[in-house]
Amino acid sequence: MSEPSKVRVLSIDDHPLVREGLAALINDQTDMRIVGQGSTGHEAIKLFRELRPDVALMDVRLPDMSGIDAMITILSEFPEARVIVVTSSEGDVEMQRALEGGAKGYMLKSMPPNEVLQAIRKVHAGKKAIPPEIAAHLANHMSDETLTDREVEILQQVAEGNRNRDIADRLFISEGTVKVHIKHIMEKLGANDRTQAITIAVRRGIIRL
Amino acid sequence: MSEPSKVRVLSIDDHPLVREGLAALINDQTDMRIVGQGSTGHEAIKLFRELRPDVALMDVRLPDMSGIDAMITILSEFPEARVIVVTSSEGDVEMQRALEGGAKGYMLKSMPPNEVLQAIRKVHAGKKAIPPEIAAHLANHMSDETLTDREVEILQQVAEGNRNRDIADRLFISEGTVKVHIKHIMEKLGANDRTQAITIAVRRGIIRL
DNA sequence: ACGCTTTTCAGGGATATCGCCGAATACTGC
DNA sequence: GCAGTATTCGGCGATATCCCTGAAAAGCGT
């Protein structure tokens, strides 16, 4: 026990190359090491239970579920878990959900390696690691203009090219109601028409194509 | 010279973690090694001239230009260059452009490491490395339904939420012309309306939001 | 020079969307 | 209970879009 115990890191990402990169980077450090890797949300939960890592790096996009949902599940079981959410460069909504869901850090895959390592060290030390540009983005763009579940549902239908009449039929509501929802959606997003609503929603990460 | 010369690989990707992963993976092999890394298209071209690698791994999304355009520039100077285009999971158009542009291989970041290595070896041996699912996708979905430059331009305007009238003004054409273009676009993409046209175009990688 | 594609333009009818009005039900939080 | 929000519904007028027809100029390859 004379050796200083290293920070035990769990890495979840569906891209093997990213996992390799993270593993190589982290295992090169004297103060941390990778104790487990996975590529799905269910693996993440299973591995967390088994390994109880000090820090978990969680990709947002996983084959079976959102990494954020996996994180929330883990946090409900281990409220002390320190999770850093990793993303390629998605929209604002992901950040908000991640932070509201209890992420201790938010990290971009385009960040230089030393910043990645610093983020891990900060989070392990009990601090939060949010890149300043992300924090600023959140403060500005995100207020209370979040869409309701129903509105997102409608928006998704719109993106699929359905007419209001068709959307009404599919969701078992009247066409008038669909109109009202779309009106609200456009107001909240600041869109001129339904087409721009889709564009803005995709950019913000509200819907995925 | 008794030692077998290793395959010299150049890796271009704007995500340091992916580069790290690739580097770690490749340098672990006995028959290949990383001779250079870069994160932009211009770096790619510069490094290729200097290093003349046996195989170049080129990410499609780079900060300054498309990796495919960087590849085309390189090929115009070194027609024998063997370039493998690497992507996260983009649309069909990227593949088509990559292969038409002279890529010797196409690779997904989600592929397992051994397949990545196999692809590099195949391409170095002068063969092509196209994942079967990609090849199948190309054969089906892609025939001659490519949009013209003008049509893509119009489509981009549509995505921004501009009305036909506004698009006409911006591009200095009549509204009737805009209509015709949009009609053609929807025909080619098989879309019911302009909104779905956006959705399909983004999925296929024709436009980017 | 001929054919093909692209791009340009126009008019009109059917349909869809946008914007605005008002209104009822239901659930959440205080 | 009561305020606030979400969801539901209807109608109507102005405008936009979709779809059709027909046409013509410019560029490209053969």
Side-chain angles (χ1 to χ4, degrees):
Chain A
M1 265 67 125
S2 63
E3 206 186 279
S5 63
K6 296 184 175 185
V7 179
R8 301 171 62 253
V9 180
L10 171 65
S11 164
I12 305 295
D13 198 303
D14 62 327
H15 289 174
L17 292 176
V18 176
R19 287 210 310 275
E20 289 283 335
L22 237 16
L25 178 67
I26 290 173
N27 286 334
D28 267 2
Q29 308 302 310
T30 56
D31 60 342
M32 56 180 77
R33 68 191 171 95
I34 290 285
V35 294
Q37 295 186 32
S39 58
T40 67
H42 287 101
E43 267 189 271
I45 297 167
K46 179 169 162 289
L47 286 171
F48 198 98
R49 287 201 189 106
E50 290 172 6
L51 302 170
R52 308 288 189 88
D54 298 313
V55 176
L57 301 175
M58 185 83 69
D59 191 15
V60 278
R61 298 195 73 165
L62 298 174
D64 57 342
M65 64 196 287
S66 161
I68 296 172
D69 291 330
M71 174 190 74
I72 291 172
T73 303
I74 289 171
L75 280 170
S76 71
E77 206 167 321
F78 307 96
E80 298 307 311
R82 293 169 177 12
V83 180
I84 298 178
V85 172
V86 184
T87 181
S88 298
S89 66
E90 320 288 328
D92 325 354
V93 172
E94 311 253 69
M95 308 175 204
Q96 199 183 29
R97 277 204 64 211
L99 297 181
E100 285 176 354
K104 300 296 184 297
Y106 198 88
M107 220 180 78
L108 298 169
K109 287 183 187 174
S110 55
M111 277 168 50
N114 60 316
E115 287 187 33
V116 172
L117 295 171
Q118 285 311 317
I120 294 172
R121 293 192 182 100
K122 269 184 91 167
V123 167
H124 178 247
K127 286 180 267 185
K128 289 211 168 193
I130 315 290
E133 63 267 28
I134 303 272
H137 218 274
L138 267 187
N140 301 342
H141 273 276
M142 207 79 77
S143 43
D144 41 12
E145 297 297 60
T146 45
L147 300 189
T148 65
D149 292 346
R150 192 56 155 176
E151 284 166 350
V152 173
E153 206 177 350
I154 301 272
L155 196 54
Q156 219 118 28
Q157 295 289 325
V158 172
E160 292 303 329
N162 292 314
R163 296 170 309 168
N164 292 348
R165 175 77 249 136
D166 297 336
I167 297 173
D169 290 347
R170 287 183 185 227
L171 302 183
F172 306 110
I173 56 178
S174 86
E175 195 175 341
T177 304
V178 175
K179 287 184 186 179
V180 175
H181 283 306
I182 293 178
K183 184 171 117 69
H184 290 157
I185 291 168
M186 294 196 300
E187 276 169 4
K188 287 184 179 178
L189 298 182
N192 301 318
D193 57 34
R194 51 169 54 207
T195 305
Q196 194 181 20
I198 299 299
T199 304
I200 295 173
V202 170
R203 284 188 182 139
R204 295 211 187 152
I206 296 169
I207 60 171
R208 199 171 289 296
L209 299 183
Chain B
M1 267 64 131
S2 62
E3 208 186 277
S5 63
K6 294 185 177 185
V7 180
R8 301 172 62 255
V9 181
L10 172 64
S11 164
I12 305 294
D13 198 302
D14 62 328
H15 288 175
L17 292 177
V18 175
R19 286 211 311 275
E20 288 284 336
L22 236 16
L25 178 68
I26 290 172
N27 286 334
D28 266 2
Q29 308 302 310
T30 56
D31 60 341
M32 57 181 75
R33 69 193 170 93
I34 290 285
V35 294
Q37 295 186 33
S39 59
T40 68
H42 288 100
E43 266 190 90
I45 297 167
K46 178 170 163 289
L47 288 171
F48 197 98
R49 286 201 189 105
E50 290 172 5
L51 302 170
R52 307 291 189 87
D54 298 313
V55 176
L57 301 176
M58 185 83 69
D59 190 16
V60 279
R61 297 196 74 166
L62 298 174
D64 56 341
M65 63 196 289
S66 161
I68 296 172
D69 291 331
M71 174 189 74
I72 290 173
T73 303
I74 290 171
L75 281 170
S76 71
E77 207 169 318
F78 307 97
E80 300 305 313
R82 294 171 178 8
V83 180
I84 298 178
V85 172
V86 184
T87 182
S88 299
S89 65
E90 320 288 328
D92 324 354
V93 172
E94 312 253 69
M95 309 176 202
Q96 198 184 29
R97 276 204 67 213
L99 297 181
E100 285 175 356
K104 301 296 184 296
Y106 199 88
M107 221 180 79
L108 298 170
K109 285 183 188 174
S110 56
M111 277 169 50
N114 60 317
E115 285 187 35
V116 172
L117 296 170
Q118 286 310 318
I120 295 173
R121 293 194 182 99
K122 268 185 93 166
V123 167
H124 178 247
K127 286 180 268 186
K128 290 211 168 192
I130 316 291
E133 63 268 28
I134 302 274
H137 218 275
L138 266 185
N140 301 343
H141 275 274
M142 206 79 78
S143 44
D144 41 14
E145 297 297 61
T146 46
L147 299 189
T148 66
D149 291 347
R150 192 56 157 176
E151 284 165 350
V152 173
E153 207 177 349
I154 302 272
L155 196 54
Q156 219 116 30
Q157 295 289 325
V158 173
E160 293 303 328
N162 292 315
R163 296 169 308 167
N164 291 349
R165 175 77 250 139
D166 296 336
I167 297 173
D169 289 346
R170 287 182 185 228
L171 303 182
F172 306 110
I173 57 180
S174 85
E175 197 175 341
T177 304
V178 175
K179 287 184 186 179
V180 176
H181 283 305
I182 294 179
K183 185 171 118 69
H184 289 157
I185 291 168
M186 294 194 301
E187 277 170 3
K188 288 183 178 178
L189 297 183
N192 300 321
D193 57 32
R194 53 170 53 207
T195 306
Q196 194 181 21
I198 298 300
T199 304
I200 295 174
V202 171
R203 285 187 182 141
R204 294 207 187 157
I206 295 169
I207 60 170
R208 198 170 293 294
L209 299 183

